[in-house]
Amino acid sequence: MRYNKIRKHRKLLKAGRWLNRRCHWVVKAAKWMKSHLSWLNRINPFRLLKKLDWYIIRKFIGTYFFAITLIISISIVFDVNENLAKFTQYHAPLRAVVFDYYANFVPYFANLFSPLFVFIAVIFFTSKLAGNSEIISMLAAGVSFKRLMRPYMISAAFISILTFYLGSYVIPKGNIVRQNFESMYKNKKKNTSAENVQLQVGKGIIAYIQHYDNNMKKGYGFCLDKFENKKLVSHMTAQEIQYDTISDSKYHWKATQWRIREMRGLREKITSGPQRDTLITMEPTDLVYSKGQQETFTSPQLRDYISKQIDRGSGNVVQYEVEYHKRIASSFASFILTTIGVSLSSRKRKGGMGLYLGIGLALSFAYIMLQTVSATFAINANTPPMLAAWIPNIIFTVVAWFCYKKAPN
């Protein structure tokens, strides 16, 4: 046995000498990088994180995802129990139920109630740290409460960026699949038609459709008027107008049995034909509105849609503006509710964490309810959408500041 160890050691030494002779440039490159690229270590943000920071971050993130998994699992059980009869009635296939509905149900509601999960996670593990006298030990060792908040804020920043990215770019695409499933196998109440639609599609250009069928992407009784200096200069009518869904670019329509009247002073020119391809700056999404449609747009799409509808003079954009600003405002809720949670649960008291968990749940539900109420006021009471989206953050920022001042230092 001893002979084998000596033999193995000699082989390792021999291999090391061979590498030193053949690959001496690797050693030189490593020395050069150590001497010339040492500044990279100074800009590395992770070098500022100590063992205490990593300990709290692991606890925070781990408890956060554990709370999401636990609560969403319970929600799925209740949702299955509630909708099983409808799925059976409309013969929903199992694959569609799992991959089209629940695969998009989970991230949607997890992101919607992310402030609640953040609060529960902070209250839960911080109360446990306080109960084990770990918070007292940290403060007694000279760690200030402000320094203790640093890993909490780093964790909150990670959750904030994650929820904003998911809510703005990933979840809206899944909402399209989920809402299509619900309209087919659950509710069967999706709005697929519109009557007497009139909108401005360009400067001085007004379009009118008597009836529009979104399933066929076809409109009936179409009219397009063009005005210059408040005078009608062109009037186009068509029996039918069909949106080109296979075109490489947008706004392609095909008019059937069309007729154009052009007014040039006292003269009038009339042209007509059986079919005509034309470009009109409108899309099917501009004509039919269904409940929750704003949740199917990514943030860039929402911004473009709002800008386009405002230019057209449309008044049906408030819910889209509220949704756009709410996605930004909700991402900051992680910082506010984390501050409140740490301030409430960092003090060791008799009775455990039951009281703080109850207060935390009450404040979380109050935040979510205030979001809903402010959005309703924006839609029905002409409250500015941006103000309505930020009212919960403004109110709870004051609460967070008060709790922080009362926290043990």
Side-chain angles (χ1 to χ4, degrees):
M1 183 68 70
R2 183 179 177 83
Y3 174 75
N4 290 336
K5 288 184 179 180
I6 294 172
R7 188 177 179 183
K8 186 177 180 180
H9 182 67
R10 286 177 178 174
K11 285 183 178 180
L12 289 173
L13 288 174
K14 189 176 181 181
R17 293 192 193 100
W18 183 86
L19 284 172
N20 192 27
R21 287 196 306 269
R22 302 288 183 179
C23 304
H24 59 278
W25 57 272
V26 176
V27 179
K28 289 183 178 179
K31 291 180 179 179
W32 182 88
M33 291 176 65
K34 185 177 180 181
S35 59
H36 291 82
L37 300 180
S38 59
W39 58 273
L40 289 174
N41 188 46
R42 290 195 294 271
I43 64 173
N44 180 19
F46 292 104
R47 70 183 181 87
L48 300 175
L49 299 179
K50 309 301 181 184
K51 287 185 179 180
L52 175 63
D53 300 314
W54 286 114
Y55 176 69
I56 293 177
I57 290 172
R58 283 196 301 268
K59 289 278 188 180
F60 193 162
I61 302 298
T63 310
Y64 171 75
F65 285 109
F66 175 76
I68 288 178
T69 305
L70 183 63
I71 296 176
I72 292 297
S73 300
I74 297 172
S75 302
I76 290 175
V77 171
F78 281 101
D79 191 79
V80 170
N81 184 54
E82 181 182 352
N83 296 311
L84 187 59
K86 291 183 179 179
F87 294 159
T88 306
Q89 178 185 355
Y90 296 122
H91 306 288
L94 179 62
R95 187 179 184 280
V97 171
V98 175
F99 294 102
D100 292 348
Y101 183 64
Y102 283 110
N104 297 300
F105 170 92
V106 171
Y108 171 74
F109 281 96
N111 198 69
L112 180 65
F113 295 107
S114 181
L116 173 64
F117 299 137
V118 168
F119 216 59
I120 290 175
V122 172
I123 291 287
F124 185 81
F125 87 88
T126 307
S127 297
K128 194 171 182 180
L129 292 179
N132 295 334
S133 301
E134 293 182 64
I135 300 292
I136 296 175
S137 302
M138 295 174 193
L139 297 176
V143 177
S144 64
F145 190 76
K146 183 179 179 180
R147 168 65 181 83
L148 186 63
M149 288 290 295
R150 187 169 76 179
Y152 284 96
M153 292 296 104
I154 293 172
S155 303
F158 169 76
I159 294 173
S160 176
I161 294 170
L162 179 65
T163 54
F164 175 76
Y165 176 76
L166 291 176
S168 299
Y169 298 97
V170 178
I171 294 176
K173 297 177 182 178
N175 285 340
I176 298 174
V177 180
R178 181 177 58 84
Q179 290 184 9
N180 290 336
F181 175 90
E182 289 178 348
S183 64
M184 188 176 298
Y185 299 112
K186 188 178 176 183
N187 299 325
K188 293 210 169 187
K189 294 180 181 178
K190 187 175 181 180
N191 188 19
T192 59
S193 63
E195 303 288 340
N196 299 321
V197 180
Q198 182 174 348
L199 69 159
Q200 180 175 316
V201 297
K203 188 175 181 181
I205 303 175
I206 308 298
Y208 171 80
I209 300 177
Q210 186 177 2
H211 174 77
Y212 177 76
D213 185 357
N214 195 47
N215 291 330
M216 302 292 293
K217 299 292 188 290
K218 182 182 289 187
Y220 303 91
F222 176 73
C223 175
L224 186 69
D225 294 330
K226 183 177 181 181
F227 295 87
E228 289 182 2
N229 297 323
K230 299 182 179 180
K231 292 182 179 181
L232 181 66
V233 296
S234 176
H235 176 72
M236 175 184 176
T237 59
Q239 289 185 5
E240 296 179 359
I241 186 168
Q242 176 73 52
Y243 186 69
D244 190 354
T245 57
I246 61 174
S247 175
D248 294 333
S249 57
K250 299 188 295 184
Y251 311 133
H252 280 260
W253 295 84
K254 182 180 288 185
T256 305
Q257 298 300 325
W258 58 274
R259 186 169 179 264
I260 299 177
R261 294 173 56 198
E262 293 180 294
M263 278 66 78
R264 299 174 181 176
L266 298 177
R267 295 185 179 183
E268 183 177 311
K269 180 182 177 182
I270 300 177
T271 56
S272 61
Q275 284 190 341
R276 177 189 176 99
D277 291 331
T278 182
L279 287 173
I280 305 173
T281 316
M282 66 179 183
E283 297 179 271
T285 54
D286 301 329
L287 305 174
V288 178
Y289 171 75
S290 57
K291 185 179 179 181
Q293 182 178 341
Q294 67 274 14
E295 296 175 351
T296 63
F297 292 168
T298 62
S299 288
Q301 290 172 340
L302 263 179
R303 186 171 57 249
D304 295 341
Y305 182 85
I306 292 168
S307 177
K308 184 171 63 176
Q309 293 299 100
I310 290 176
D311 292 340
R312 290 175 174 173
S314 174
N316 191 28
V317 294
V318 177
Q319 58 266 36
Y320 295 89
E321 291 180 299
V322 170
E323 176 68 19
Y324 179 75
H325 292 295
K326 188 173 73 172
R327 292 177 183 179
I328 301 173
S330 297
S331 61
F332 288 92
S334 300
F335 297 100
I336 299 170
L337 297 179
T338 297
T339 304
I340 297 174
V342 177
S343 302
L344 286 176
S345 57
S346 58
R347 190 184 298 274
K348 183 177 181 180
R349 288 191 177 95
K350 292 181 180 180
M353 64 178 177
L355 175 63
Y356 304 113
L357 190 59
I359 295 173
L361 289 172
L363 287 174
S364 299
F365 282 118
Y367 179 85
I368 295 170
M369 185 183 69
L370 191 59
Q371 276 187 325
T372 306
V373 171
S374 60
T376 304
F377 270 105
I379 296 172
N380 299 323
N382 296 324
T383 305
M386 186 174 181
L387 177 63
W390 283 92
I391 281 177
N393 283 4
I394 295 171
I395 294 175
F396 275 80
T397 298
V398 176
V399 176
W401 179 83
F402 178 78
C403 293
Y404 179 78
K405 289 297 183 182
K406 296 295 182 179
N409 290 296

